[in-house]
Amino acid sequence: MPRKYISLLCFLLGLLFYTGCQKPAEPITKTAFYFDTMIQITLYDNTEEALIDDCFQMAAAYEQLLSRTAAGSDIDQINQAAGQPVSVSSDTIALLEKGISYYALSGGAFDLTMGPLSDLWNISGNPGTVPLPEEIASALSHVGTDRISIQGNTVTIADPLASLDLGGIAKGFIADEMKHYLNEQGVTEGIINLGGNVLTLGPKSNGSPYVIGIQKPFSQEGAPLLSVALTDGTVVSSGVYERYFQVGEKIYHHILNPADGYPYDNGLYSVTILCQSSADADALSTACFGLGLTEGLALIETLPDTEAVFITDTYEVIVSSGMGEKIPYTLYEEPTADTAP
């Protein structure tokens, strides 16, 4: 595919945003820090900054509701309940039910109860210490979304030492809620980026799509390996390069396998999902990474209006059958393996 250059709009934690040549003279953009990352919202057809501020208030409210590290949040209360039932909000129930459905769809590759393993590995703060096998086995014994029971608005986890972690789906859910709110306010043109969970509000007034770059794994400059053209949808990536530490030549990353407790070692660097719902894309990017190239691609082919881009550890780009015709994409360079640690 020929090389193509498109003007850069912005870069935020793993995804590059590009626009076509024509755009309104005065789009409004604001950034803030939530979910331990920078988020950014850009509106092209509305100049009311208050709408973006409302979205930031939604982010703050949902963070206090769904974060496992926010004291008193629904998730914190469930995790601290030691197996006792907890009454939570309808939003929390909806998100848990969606996560449970992806646990079933992926055969357990997507799991909501990875808290014990996440705490043990502590990838973001780990100076390079690999947990002992017996420590991993102990944490793993408390993992399993099938232990979650929901009755109305009451949640119970059968294992008192189990711990919910909604990091693989919560940002997508929140991004969807923001988009729904902006659409209700009449906004039809813009971009929501929650630290790599990207939604486009479209189509653009000039008829052109949003062009979103997918990062080349381990690129020091955050350079894109390819771009995709999207009219009104979402793009979410999960990759080993986002959070990891290295011991010798071995990379230990944050996408942990609920089957054995170790970071996946399956020949993939990243998986990107393109669909309508960011919550779906969020869960599927993790699930398909865990399933691996063959099974992950097979799952995508069974889902309507859902496409995927897999980048292997040799920088080979493999796409689902709807990419190209339904969702055009452009490779920027021949895949190379010269940027991995």
Side-chain angles (χ1 to χ4, degrees):
M1 190 169 291
R3 185 182 300 266
K4 180 179 180 183
Y5 294 94
I6 306 171
S7 60
L8 178 65
L9 173 63
C10 65
F11 164 66
L12 278 177
L13 296 180
L15 287 176
L16 302 169
F17 302 90
Y18 295 79
T19 64
C21 296
Q22 299 177 8
K23 63 177 185 294
E26 295 294 336
I28 59 171
T29 299
K30 296 188 75 172
T31 60
F33 190 83
Y34 293 99
F35 325 121
D36 293 322
T37 189
M38 292 300 298
I39 71 174
Q40 183 178 66
I41 299 176
T42 300
L43 307 182
Y44 292 100
D45 63 345
N46 194 303
T47 59
E48 295 183 48
E49 290 191 16
L51 294 178
I52 299 180
D53 292 336
D54 289 344
C55 288
F56 289 164
Q57 290 177 14
M58 292 173 65
Y62 278 121
E63 187 166 32
Q64 290 302 309
L65 187 71
L66 302 173
S67 171
R68 67 189 297 260
T69 61
S73 73
D74 277 359
I75 304 307
D76 178 59
Q77 290 184 58
I78 295 170
N79 289 343
Q80 299 300 323
Q84 297 301 307
V86 177
S87 180
V88 297
S89 73
S90 56
D91 280 336
T92 300
I93 294 295
L95 189 54
L96 289 174
E97 290 178 337
K98 182 176 281 288
I100 290 169
S101 72
Y102 275 107
Y103 174 78
L105 183 67
S106 67
F110 179 82
D111 197 300
L112 296 173
T113 61
M114 296 293 284
L117 280 171
S118 298
D119 289 342
L120 176 65
W121 281 92
N122 185 27
I123 296 294
S124 296
N126 194 316
T129 303
V130 178
L132 296 174
E134 55 267 30
E135 294 175 319
I136 293 173
S138 176
L140 191 61
S141 69
H142 303 295
V143 170
T145 291
D146 54 356
R147 304 170 194 216
I148 302 172
S149 174
I150 297 176
Q151 297 291 331
N153 275 55
T154 300
V155 179
T156 307
I157 303 181
D159 183 349
L161 297 181
S163 178
L164 291 175
D165 185 346
L166 304 190
I169 194 171
K171 282 196 300 181
F173 172 83
I174 296 164
D176 286 336
E177 292 299 305
M178 288 182 178
K179 181 175 180 178
H180 179 69
Y181 168 75
L182 290 173
N183 284 159
E184 283 188 331
Q185 303 307 309
V187 178
T188 60
E189 197 174 350
I191 296 176
I192 300 169
N193 174 24
L194 302 191
N197 287 63
V198 182
L199 285 86
T200 62
L201 288 72
K204 294 168 66 176
S205 59
N206 63 8
S208 62
Y210 299 90
V211 183
I212 302 170
I214 297 173
Q215 183 178 330
K216 181 177 183 178
F218 299 107
S219 169
Q220 297 301 311
E221 298 80 20
L225 183 57
L226 71 154
S227 67
V228 297
L230 198 63
T231 297
D232 185 36
T234 188
V235 180
V236 179
S237 295
S238 290
V240 304
Y241 55 89
E242 294 169 338
R243 298 193 302 277
Y244 68 93
F245 66 87
Q246 192 168 352
V247 179
E249 296 185 357
K250 178 71 173 178
I251 292 173
Y252 296 90
H253 57 82
H254 74 291
I255 310 178
L256 303 174
N257 186 345
D260 65 14
Y262 287 84
Y264 282 104
D265 186 8
N266 59 4
L268 290 177
Y269 272 166
S270 72
V271 175
T272 298
I273 304 297
L274 303 94
C275 62
Q276 290 298 305
S277 163
S278 194
D280 290 338
D282 215 352
L284 280 170
S285 65
T286 300
C288 289
F289 190 101
L291 289 170
L293 176 59
T294 301
E295 292 186 32
L297 191 58
L299 173 59
I300 292 299
E301 300 295 2
T302 70
L303 302 176
D305 303 316
T306 304
E307 305 299 337
V309 176
F310 294 77
I311 300 176
T312 73
D313 58 7
T314 59
Y315 291 88
E316 182 180 6
V317 176
I318 299 169
V319 301
S320 56
S321 60
M323 296 292 295
E325 182 177 349
K326 294 181 181 178
I327 302 178
Y329 68 97
T330 300
L331 288 174
Y332 284 89
E333 59 183 75
E334 292 299 321
T336 63
D338 60 358
T339 55

